[in-house]
Amino acid sequence: MSVRRRSLALLCLLPVLLECKAAFDIPPIARPLTISYPPGVVGDLPTSAFGAMVPLRVLVTDYAGRPQAGVVVTWDGQADPPPVLPARTTTDADGLASATWEVRSYTGLQKAWAYLPGADGNPVEFRVRAVIPTPK
């Protein structure tokens, strides 16, 4: 078979080969996002007095550690009504979501959480030891 005939035969088979390849393509594996403390943030926060407003932040990244913008994070705390506002925030361009936690008026350990359903590291927990404010 001449080179020209082989080339023509391959050209005729090209659509068939491409169709076969498409039939066997495997979709990429969906990898979960990760929710975590951003660098420099820890879950154990300083002791705070009743009514103190404590800023909270979390970082949302993809499987490769790249920040993810536009992801909705849900916040909650162990009091009723929930002491973390707003209840939902969206991550910014740096993958950060923020909320504010109001320390409730009872002494001892208090907790708040950031949730991202289906994410690794879920939930992120914050803890503060609440104390009675000192009179001035």
Side-chain angles (χ1 to χ4, degrees), residues 8-96:
L8 187 57
L10 284 175
L11 257 169
C12 290
L13 285 175
L14 188 60
V16 173
L17 293 173
L18 289 175
E19 190 64 35
C20 287
K21 179 197 175 302
F24 291 103
D25 274 348
I26 298 172
I29 297 171
R31 295 185 172 132
L33 297 176
T34 299
I35 185 170
S36 62
Y37 303 111
V41 173
V42 294
D44 289 317
L45 302 167
T47 298
S48 297
F50 300 164
M53 302 303 279
V54 179
L56 304 177
R57 287 187 338 165
V58 292
L59 174 64
V60 177
T61 56
D62 68 5
Y63 70 94
R66 294 178 293 237
Q68 296 298 294
V71 177
V72 176
V73 173
T74 302
W75 301 88
D76 199 6
Q78 69 181 124
D80 194 22
V84 182
L85 294 173
R88 287 191 175 94
T89 57
T90 303
T91 56
D92 63 16
D94 296 320
L96 297 170

